[in-house]
Amino acid sequence: MIQLISDKQNVCVVGDDDQSIYQWRGADVQNIITFSKRYQKVAIHQLDINRRSADGIVKTANLLIQKNNPNRLQKLIRDKGIESENGDLYKILFNNQKDEIEWIVGKVHSLIGTEIIEGDKSRKLKYSDIAFLFRSVGNEAKPYIDALKEAGIPVIYSGIGGLFATPEVNTIVKIFEFISNCDNDVEYNDLYINEIHSKLPAQFSIKYDSFKIGIISIQDFTQKQRRISLQGLYASVLSLLGLSDASFHDSDDDVLLYNLGRFSRAISDYEGSREFLTFNSIKDFIWFIRLHAENAYDSGNTDSMAGLVDAVQVLTMHGTKGLGFPVVFMPSHFRQNREPEFGPTLLNTTKFDSNRFLNYPEDERRIYYVALTRSKKYLFVTSAEYKIGGKRRSARSNFFNEIDDKYFITNDILDPTTRKLSEEDGVSEEISLPTSYSELAYYLSCGYDYKMRFIYGFNPGLVPALGFGKQVHNIINLLHKDFEVTKKIPSKSKIAQFIEEHFYLRYASTDLTERFKISALKSLLKYVKMWESDFSLAIKTERPFELEFENSLIAGSIDMIKREEGNEAVLEVIDFKTGKDNNELMHKYELQVQLYTIAAQEALGINTQKALIHFLDADKNSRLNVQTSPDALGTAKEELSFAIQGITKATFNRDARQDKICKSCDWCNLCPKRKGYRA
Ligand code: SF4
């Protein structure tokens, strides 16, 4: 590709050969090492300052990666001038893995609540600031995760496929199995219910009788439905288990909700790929879990949102690339280095260079380099001579020894530095928020709604009308494009033809879709009739933008109209909404259009003079002007800032703007504020 485009275009390539850790899936570090030799007129700009880590970490990482010389680009990474304090870095080889784990747990406890300084801000250190990095989570992490949990330290982990092994999710799956009578050779009777009830996680305190009656009535109700919603069934089960009790939501350990939220996503993955579900689909869903999902879903993940759940994160060294944490533990290292070999395969290895997929010492060293440099301040590298229960000395990765001791305390002495405590709340500065207006709008209507949706990951049930507005908007787009070619105002038959060809609602039945099509046709006929003059104007639909705003990146797309006023061309931001104009969501809509105006000006450099909301309704189309004076946009920015600061400081109060919002909230079965609101 570079050869195809580089004689006509400039190519900018960004990379770090020392962080090339994907050879096992075909990445070749030589691509970057030999880049300047392969092309003429290459200018190199070195980014040689590590802006994340304190000096002890940067120097340790440098000492390690220099062992890859001369097969790397010659460079020396500098730190940004923050000195490691005595006790920030420990590297200890314990005699026994049990001692190692005890020491680690003690270290986590001692650090929580101490002051951490990031830039010019100081705050208290939280669980979410701590990462445990393993070469293989599946093979190594279990005793550490068990000990952390036992010590009351919340943990989320990835790389172990552990979501369905968690007691809370396991319980839900068992209940689904009972409701659907999943397996022919199992008797789904009272004993079975008793068995599930006896193994309920401690947080679920429902009495046996209520549990049994509840499950059977959910089963009866679901069986009678022609079509079912799995997400709705899930919400009913959670509600029965008492998930709307404040104790679930106000405790410090929110891992349980996080895991239940991830199960909700697994349901959406299944439900979203089917046109509709019937009672029998519950069985199919169980088989989806057994055959696929059990190995594909982790109880944690590495997305930036995970940092907003206050839990220690356990990750693979690979999975941590691009992330940074104030505290990094690198325990275990019980992994013998082996000669690289290409395992048994059906592939004909003479037909390709299989060597480039192998893990050579230089590749392994790069993985360790990446892991070390995830830490900002504290770095604890530990291992032990004997594994728990082991009688013979355990083999260890060579790279544990390769990490130079120079900047570490190497024995189990108390932290020589007295750590100040802090009361200031906040989350890591690493969390920069990729977001959109619709996400921020959820926060603005209720902080807890945002948390349920985007932090825990719960999905609401699917509704047949989902996507109606988008479909109508698409057809407006097509009508304007058609006008550009034909210069004809779209006729009724043309609109009907476009609807027939392009209108599609994923979750609506055929009958319902036909009704939605009629409604769309009426709205669009009104639109064409009332705003015929707009067709001669240039309309730019769906112009994408990315707006950097405080510590967030807001992405979206804007529709704009270009209108001639006198000798001047005036650009107007327009946002199409399906529905009437006198609804309760007006403030939300206005704020959205104001954000689009800010984005047009600041991200796209377009000076728009007007902003409109266009309501597409079958009875009446109307347009409303939205205030875009500097004062109005200033107020809009304050609102957006409130949402972004709230999210990045993990402030998720149950503070619906209006009581009405709770009544129609997707979580009114699960949120303590509206407990019992719905049957
Ligand atoms: S029920 Fe009310 S308080 Fe609870 S999440 Fe919904 S809007 Fe917020």
Side-chain angles (χ1 to χ4, degrees):
M1 281 173 69
I2 289 169
Q3 277 164 356
L4 281 172
I5 61 176
S6 60
D7 60 334
K8 300 191 179 65
Q9 302 286 339
N10 289 322
V11 178
C12 175
V13 177
V14 183
D16 179 357
D17 57 321
D18 292 336
Q19 296 192 53
S20 172
I21 57 174
Y22 288 102
Q23 100 293 340
W24 51 276
R25 59 186 193 202
D28 186 350
V29 67
Q30 293 305 322
N31 279 331
I32 189 154
I33 291 179
T34 63
F35 188 89
S36 61
K37 296 193 184 92
R38 294 202 311 276
Y39 301 99
Q40 295 162 359
K41 292 198 266 174
V42 174
I44 297 176
H45 299 275
Q46 271 203 359
L47 308 173
D48 56 4
I49 299 180
N50 173 327
R51 299 193 176 274
R52 175 181 294 135
S53 313
D55 69 336
I57 298 162
V58 177
K59 286 172 182 153
T60 301
N62 278 341
L63 286 174
L64 178 76
I65 202 64
Q66 278 163 21
K67 296 183 201 294
N68 272 3
N69 288 340
N71 294 324
R72 60 189 280 269
L73 294 172
Q74 293 312 299
K75 58 189 174 300
L76 189 67
I77 301 296
R78 292 175 287 138
D79 59 85
K80 64 177 177 182
I82 294 190
E83 283 180 24
S84 296
E85 292 181 280
N86 196 8
D88 284 1
L89 280 70
Y90 278 82
K91 182 185 166 204
I92 310 179
L93 178 62
F94 289 87
N95 184 48
N96 192 294
Q97 192 182 17
K98 191 165 164 284
D99 300 336
E100 180 201 4
I101 291 175
E102 265 174 32
W103 185 86
I104 286 170
V105 169
K107 196 47 115 180
V108 171
H109 281 314
S110 72
L111 285 175
I112 293 300
T114 58
E115 182 187 52
I116 180 90
I117 295 170
E118 293 175 318
D120 54 359
K121 292 190 193 131
S122 118
R123 62 178 178 84
K124 68 176 169 193
L125 201 122
K126 303 167 68 160
Y127 291 119
S128 53
D129 292 313
I130 300 175
F132 279 75
L133 308 186
F134 290 89
R135 189 64 183 81
S136 160
V137 170
N139 292 334
E140 298 174 88
K142 191 166 182 313
Y144 301 87
I145 292 173
D146 289 347
L148 291 168
K149 283 184 180 168
E150 202 167 304
I153 296 166
V155 192
I156 51 178
Y157 44 94
S158 62
I160 205 169
L163 180 65
F164 296 91
T166 61
E168 51 274 18
V169 172
N170 190 269
T171 296
I172 303 292
V173 174
K174 286 261 172 290
I175 293 174
F176 275 34
E177 285 173 354
F178 177 87
I179 289 175
S180 62
N181 280 331
C182 185
D183 297 304
N184 295 336
D185 54 348
V186 174
E187 281 197 47
Y188 292 101
N189 51 19
D190 283 8
L191 269 179
Y192 195 91
I193 298 188
N194 198 2
E195 166 88 6
I196 306 175
H197 184 262
S198 65
K199 291 194 180 144
L200 285 180
Q203 295 98 320
F204 298 122
S205 55
I206 182 168
K207 298 244 168 16
Y208 172 71
D209 285 345
S210 314
F211 181 68
K212 182 180 154 187
I213 293 168
I215 293 289
I216 290 175
S217 72
I218 291 173
Q219 186 185 41
D220 279 353
F221 173 81
T222 313
Q223 227 158 3
K224 286 182 190 134
Q225 308 303 307
R226 215 158 52 91
R227 290 186 175 192
I228 66 150
S229 154
L230 260 190
Q231 209 68 256
L233 171 67
Y234 182 42
S236 305
V237 171
L238 292 181
S239 182
L240 173 74
L241 292 171
L243 208 80
S244 57
D245 276 2
S247 59
F248 285 102
H249 301 259
D250 295 339
S251 80
D252 288 339
D253 171 11
D254 50 6
V255 172
L256 179 128
L257 284 169
Y258 184 72
N259 286 339
L260 292 174
R262 289 183 63 71
F263 186 74
S264 171
R265 286 192 199 177
I267 290 179
S268 292
D269 288 346
Y270 176 82
E271 196 161 36
S273 66
R274 262 106 193 127
E275 206 161 357
F276 59 86
L277 302 183
T278 62
F279 185 76
N280 279 337
S281 311
I282 307 171
K283 266 188 207 173
D284 296 344
F285 172 65
I286 307 274
W287 280 104
F288 162 76
I289 292 173
R290 290 176 183 173
L291 297 176
H292 167 68
E294 270 184 352
N295 297 320
Y297 289 82
D298 289 318
S299 78
N301 64 3
T302 55
D303 63 30
S304 59
M305 289 300 176
L308 292 172
V309 172
D310 194 18
V312 162
Q313 291 190 60
V314 175
L315 308 154
T316 61
M317 293 185 190
H318 274 106
T320 192
K321 192 157 186 275
L323 301 174
F325 299 88
V327 186
V328 166
F329 285 87
M330 290 169 62
S332 179
H333 307 280
F334 297 114
R335 183 187 150 107
Q336 202 170 4
N337 301 93
R338 295 194 194 96
E339 282 302 305
E341 60 170 335
F342 205 87
T345 177
L346 295 174
L347 299 174
N348 181 347
T349 49
T350 61
K351 299 284 185 203
F352 65 99
D353 178 11
S354 60
N355 273 332
R356 64 183 273 192
F357 295 88
L358 300 183
N359 191 37
Y360 288 95
E362 286 175 2
D363 298 302
E364 190 70 12
R365 205 169 280 123
R366 282 193 286 268
I367 295 170
Y368 267 74
Y369 175 80
V370 167
L372 293 170
T373 51
R374 297 313 91 194
S375 168
K376 291 179 184 177
K377 179 172 172 64
Y378 296 101
L379 177 63
F380 306 117
V381 184
T382 54
S383 188
E385 294 280 15
Y386 294 88
K387 271 192 187 178
I388 291 172
K391 299 230 168 12
R392 298 223 316 256
R393 240 172 241 277
S394 290
R396 211 174 357 274
S397 163
N398 297 343
F399 297 92
F400 176 83
N401 297 334
E402 272 202 9
I403 297 171
D404 201 301
D405 292 351
K406 191 168 170 188
Y407 299 98
F408 291 88
I409 292 176
T410 53
N411 49 34
D412 177 9
I413 58 162
L414 281 180
D415 188 346
T417 302
T418 311
R419 310 288 171 178
K420 254 171 68 182
L421 294 176
S422 168
E423 288 298 318
E424 194 59 40
D425 227 339
V427 290
S428 170
E429 62 174 6
E430 289 277 331
I431 295 174
S432 81
L433 186 72
T435 189
S436 65
Y437 175 73
S438 54
E439 288 182 12
L440 296 176
Y442 282 116
Y443 187 88
L444 288 169
S445 75
C446 173
Y448 207 66
D449 183 351
Y450 183 95
K451 186 172 194 184
M452 290 292 284
R453 214 173 279 272
F454 300 111
I455 307 300
Y456 295 141
F458 283 97
N459 282 333
L462 298 166
V463 288
L466 193 70
F468 177 74
K470 181 95 185 147
Q471 291 297 313
V472 174
H473 187 258
N474 282 347
I475 292 177
I476 290 186
N477 219 338
L478 291 170
L479 294 175
H480 280 274
K481 289 222 165 81
D482 184 69
F483 179 87
E484 279 172 24
V485 179
T486 63
K487 301 293 174 215
K488 284 190 191 146
I489 300 295
S491 62
K492 184 176 176 183
S493 60
K494 173 68 84 181
I495 300 172
Q497 180 201 332
F498 277 178
I499 289 178
E500 212 38 57
E501 287 170 4
H502 301 283
F503 188 94
Y504 175 62
L505 291 181
R506 180 75 182 75
Y507 304 106
S509 63
T510 319
D511 290 355
L512 211 50
T513 303
E514 287 311 311
R515 272 187 267 154
F516 279 121
K517 278 184 183 172
I518 293 168
S519 172
L521 179 64
K522 283 186 186 165
S523 299
L524 291 166
L525 281 171
K526 276 266 163 0
Y527 172 75
V528 173
K529 193 167 163 211
M530 292 181 71
W531 309 101
E532 193 183 310
S533 56
D534 274 6
F535 279 87
S536 57
L537 306 175
I539 292 210
K540 283 261 166 279
T541 46
E542 307 256 309
R543 176 109 191 239
F545 70 84
E546 285 188 334
L547 174 70
E548 278 185 48
F549 188 85
E550 299 182 353
N551 48 339
S552 77
L553 186 70
I554 308 174
S557 57
I558 318 176
D559 293 343
M560 274 181 283
I561 299 181
K562 193 172 174 191
R563 199 181 291 280
E564 304 296 331
E565 277 189 6
N567 294 334
E568 252 186 278
V570 175
L571 273 167
E572 299 172 357
V573 170
I574 185 161
D575 196 42
F576 293 97
K577 300 284 176 208
T578 41
K580 294 196 194 320
D581 62 0
N582 58 347
N583 59 46
E584 292 155 5
L585 299 168
M586 196 57 76
H587 177 70
K588 186 174 156 183
Y589 292 164
E590 282 175 349
L591 185 59
Q592 181 173 18
V593 176
Q594 285 165 336
L595 165 70
Y596 289 172
T597 307
I598 295 165
Q601 293 172 357
E602 296 183 12
L604 302 178
I606 297 170
N607 197 11
T608 58
Q609 270 92 342
K610 236 178 171 180
L612 306 161
I613 305 173
H614 186 119
F615 290 91
L616 293 154
D617 184 65
D619 299 330
K620 185 178 149 230
N621 270 218
S622 59
R623 275 185 184 172
L624 279 186
N625 281 323
V626 176
Q627 286 287 321
T628 54
S629 64
D631 277 356
L633 294 186
T635 311
K637 281 185 177 177
E638 280 170 22
E639 282 208 55
L640 297 169
S641 169
F642 170 78
I644 288 158
Q645 293 314 316
I647 296 165
T648 51
K649 287 197 162 67
T651 309
F652 302 111
N653 298 327
R654 294 193 280 274
D655 56 357
R657 276 199 164 186
Q658 304 150 357
D659 195 41
K660 283 186 260 198
I661 295 177
C662 291
K663 290 183 186 171
S664 54
C665 171
D666 286 322
W667 321 117
C668 64
N669 265 338
L670 303 180
C671 171
K673 184 114 179 224
R674 300 308 305 174
K675 188 177 174 187
Y677 189 80
R678 273 189 194 162

